[in-house]
Amino acid sequence: MAHAPAPAPDKPLVVLTQRTIWLIFGALMASMFLSSLDQTIVSTAMPTIVGELDGVAHQGWVVTAYILAVAIGMPLYGKFGDLYGRRWPFLVAIGLFTLASAGAGMADSMLTLVLWRAVQGLGGGGLMILSQSIIADIVPASERGKYMGPLGALFGISAVLGPLLGGWLTEGPGWRWAFWINIPVGFAAFAIAWFALRLPSHRSSRPVDWAGIVSMAVATTGIVLITSWESLAQGGYDWTDGRLLGLVALTVGAVGAFVLAENRAAEPLIPLRLFKNRTFTITTLIGLVLGMGLFSAMAMLPTFLQMSTGAGVTESGWLMLPMMVGVMLTSIVSGFAVAKSGRYKAYPVAGLAVVAAGMVWLTTLSGDTSMWVFGAMIFTLGAGMGLVMQVVVLAVQNAVDPSELGTATSANNFFREVGASVGVALFTTIFTSRLTDNLGQVFAGVPGAAETGAEASLTPAMVAELPEPLHSGVIDAYADALAPSFWYLVPLVLVGFVLALFLPVIKLSDVAGMVARGEAIEDPAKVAAREQAAAEQAEADAAAERAGAPGETVGAAVGHDGDAPTDIVDR
């Protein structure tokens, strides 16, 4: 059942002129750049950081703490943004991220660094979710592709620029600047958002779903820790350890408690009724399997590049450039195409087919594969990714009530994040197991290799200096471990492809979220232009009818998969 629109605020309504929209969009771009750039900079500096802080055995926690905080924070920002408005949560997210960057840069131990990274994750998750939700608030779905495409491309730019900048900072001023560089960027983003992000705030009389928040946090923590068990344990525990079994039991109980809490809450954190919406369910499942499959592939490719080419972390970032070009190209092109045609279903269908083809192609990877061929492989993967990611979010936002834009957006991203965490952990386990066996065979005949554990301490520089045939043997070992592992991911992507075939086609709304909720009004000039265009179209249709030309048939009005009335167009 659709919620009634939130009551209009006491303040004057926002007039969504094109200038206002671009100012707000600029604030969102600055903030998203802050979040996305940080992740790639820090990954480059991580080997130096853990070495200086004597934390090699605990480096997995630096990544896990961030991922966990992002996942937990997403539903909170989405729900609170719907209840109280998005301006203040967005400013809080920027503030947390900037403050945590300063703290992480001053960390003198791994424990301190892990704690600050968790705070960074709380800020980063808010920046991601609120940016997508605010775009839906100010731009109608029919025009949103023009804005979401550049947001997707921003991640591609950050993925290329981050490793280069991170390498330069680590080798120059020092690794602490990989965090401190966020401070001036964060202040700038905060200032831009403070003045440009003039969004309404409002109060809600509904009680906060504390039971849902606590059980969600416990369940998410358990899922992330279970799937990260091997990398976090560093060989200290096995899979029959009592602590792991206890964690599994606690996680299952928390999931059950969360379902019960959401059924009883007056204002649930993730309303279970959303899963009655076919568009939401299908796009969320697509996000889940895509997170498990695609992000797993992306996690191991840089390692293969470094070992096979002898490239450092910075150089391997350059070698991943074709993937980012593919993401940028298709996300921008598909965004504008959706805005022009109003049709979106074809893009996730085609994108998942392209991703599956790229995965199959990667199963042929070998030590002899040229960098040109490898570049074509990952370009294919990136091109498919760019066709799916932003369009899926658009479909979700278009299919739900305007009062639940943030909740639906955050829930969709939450399940994708959980899928990525699970997928990366499982794929890493498969890859590592195969690699250990392969390297054992390569070094089997080398005197003293078993005693020194040479295969467990290889670095790209060491591999480059190995004599033949060991050098070729190690590269082949990595390729032979990685390439067949992609076959485990192909079925996941194909499941997403089949799901996309059943994605409902709902006419894109021409009303922005804030306008639908009575919090803003459209630019009068834009309204007049649309009315004139509609009048001209009606006149043309009437002329065509008089001439006997057949008109376009549009399906009857139906609901948003059970929500407010809209049109489903026969595509």
Side-chain angles (χ1 to χ4, degrees):
M1 186 173 95
H3 279 192
D10 296 333
K11 300 178 181 179
L13 296 177
V14 176
V15 181
L16 294 177
T17 64
Q18 193 60 50
R19 179 178 180 275
T20 300
I21 291 173
W22 280 116
L23 281 174
I24 295 175
F25 185 66
L28 300 181
M29 290 284 283
S31 303
M32 290 289 283
F33 184 69
L34 172 69
S35 174
S36 58
L37 187 65
D38 173 79
Q39 298 181 48
T40 50
I41 287 181
V42 173
S43 64
T44 305
M46 191 56 62
T48 303
I49 294 173
V50 298
E52 185 172 320
L53 297 181
D54 298 322
V56 175
H58 305 291
Q59 61 179 316
W61 285 103
V62 178
V63 177
T64 301
Y66 187 89
I67 292 174
L68 182 57
V70 167
I72 291 174
M74 281 179 173
L76 300 180
Y77 282 107
K79 174 56 70 175
F80 290 156
D82 282 344
L83 291 178
Y84 306 111
R86 303 191 218 285
R87 171 179 164 81
W88 286 107
F90 194 77
L91 292 172
V92 168
I94 298 176
L96 282 175
F97 196 92
T98 306
L99 174 65
S101 296
M106 294 185 288
D108 56 2
S109 67
M110 283 297 291
L111 176 59
T112 307
L113 179 62
V114 168
L115 291 175
W116 281 118
R117 283 293 283 169
V119 178
Q120 266 193 316
L122 288 176
L127 294 177
M128 184 186 309
I129 292 303
L130 292 171
S131 294
Q132 294 178 346
S133 302
I134 292 170
I135 286 292
D137 279 342
I138 64 174
V139 180
S142 57
E143 302 175 15
R144 205 171 299 155
K146 295 184 293 186
Y147 298 86
M148 298 187 76
L151 280 177
L154 189 66
F155 285 99
I157 296 172
S158 301
V160 174
L161 182 60
L164 302 178
L165 189 57
W168 179 79
L169 290 172
T170 303
E171 295 169 0
W175 65 264
R176 296 182 186 277
W177 282 97
F179 296 103
W180 288 340
I181 193 174
N182 292 330
I183 298 175
V185 179
F187 274 115
F190 190 92
I192 294 172
W194 179 269
F195 291 105
L197 212 60
R198 296 297 182 183
L199 302 176
S201 298
H202 40 80
R203 296 179 180 180
S204 173
S205 59
R206 289 176 172 266
V208 175
D209 179 19
W210 292 112
I213 291 173
V214 173
S215 55
M216 180 276 295
V218 173
T220 305
T221 301
I223 292 170
V224 172
L225 292 182
I226 290 168
T227 55
S228 305
W229 183 261
E230 184 165 321
S231 62
L232 295 177
Q234 293 292 322
Y237 312 127
D238 60 38
W239 289 95
T240 60
D241 191 285
R243 283 163 288 193
L244 175 60
L245 298 179
L247 181 60
V248 171
L250 176 64
T251 303
V252 172
V255 171
F258 176 73
V259 173
L260 289 175
E262 299 311 272
N263 269 324
R264 297 174 179 175
E267 190 62 48
L269 184 66
I270 301 178
L272 299 183
R273 67 174 176 275
L274 285 175
F275 291 95
K276 297 179 181 179
N277 182 318
R278 196 154 59 100
T279 298
F280 175 83
T281 302
I282 289 176
T283 53
T284 298
L285 289 174
I286 289 173
L288 183 69
V289 299
L290 194 62
M292 292 181 68
L294 190 57
F295 289 101
S296 299
M298 294 172 62
M300 289 293 106
L301 288 174
T303 299
F304 170 76
L305 279 175
Q306 292 174 47
M307 290 300 185
S308 64
T309 65
V313 178
T314 304
E315 290 82 0
S316 67
W318 276 110
L319 294 174
M320 291 295 290
L321 181 61
M323 174 181 282
M324 303 314 158
V325 171
V327 172
M328 293 167 59
L329 181 64
T330 57
S331 63
I332 292 175
V333 170
S334 62
F336 277 92
V338 169
K340 183 176 181 179
S341 68
R343 303 181 180 186
Y344 59 86
K345 180 175 178 176
Y347 299 100
V349 171
L352 287 160
V354 171
V355 169
M359 291 281 191
V360 172
W361 196 1
L362 281 167
T363 62
T364 66
L365 197 63
S366 71
D368 297 326
T369 302
S370 71
M371 286 298 100
W372 287 103
V373 174
F374 179 80
M377 291 176 174
I378 62 176
F379 174 85
T380 302
L381 212 59
M385 178 180 176
L387 289 171
V388 180
M389 303 298 284
Q390 299 299 321
V391 176
V392 164
V393 174
L394 172 63
V396 171
Q397 293 176 338
N398 184 61
V400 300
D401 190 276
S403 65
E404 292 186 323
L405 276 174
T407 300
T409 302
S410 63
N412 183 269
N413 280 269
F414 169 77
F415 285 105
R416 188 180 69 197
E417 195 75 20
V418 171
S421 176
V422 173
V424 169
L426 295 178
F427 185 77
T428 301
T429 300
I430 295 170
F431 169 72
T432 303
S433 175
R434 295 179 62 92
L435 179 63
T436 301
D437 293 340
N438 291 350
L439 290 176
Q441 296 176 17
V442 172
F443 286 94
V446 178
E451 292 76 10
T452 61
E455 69 273 14
S457 57
L458 288 172
T459 65
M462 292 172 60
V463 172
E465 295 176 359
L466 286 175
E468 293 292 350
L470 282 179
H471 177 263
S472 298
V474 169
I475 293 175
D476 288 338
Y478 272 85
D480 292 342
L482 184 61
S485 300
F486 286 114
W487 283 118
Y488 292 94
L489 304 181
V490 171
L492 285 173
V493 180
L494 290 178
V495 168
F497 171 78
V498 173
L499 287 169
L501 294 175
F502 293 92
L503 182 65
V505 181
I506 301 175
K507 181 181 178 181
L508 294 178
S509 171
D510 57 3
V511 179
M514 285 172 56
V515 175
R517 296 193 301 269
E519 299 171 347
I521 59 174
E522 286 188 90
D523 184 355
K526 183 177 178 181
V527 174
R530 186 168 65 241
E531 291 176 349
Q532 181 179 354
E536 292 175 353
Q537 181 63 47
E539 184 178 344
D541 291 343
E545 186 176 352
R546 287 193 297 271
E552 185 182 73
T553 301
V554 179
V558 297
H560 278 301
D561 289 352
D563 288 336
T566 186
D567 290 334
I568 290 188
V569 180
D570 183 9
R571 302 297 185 201

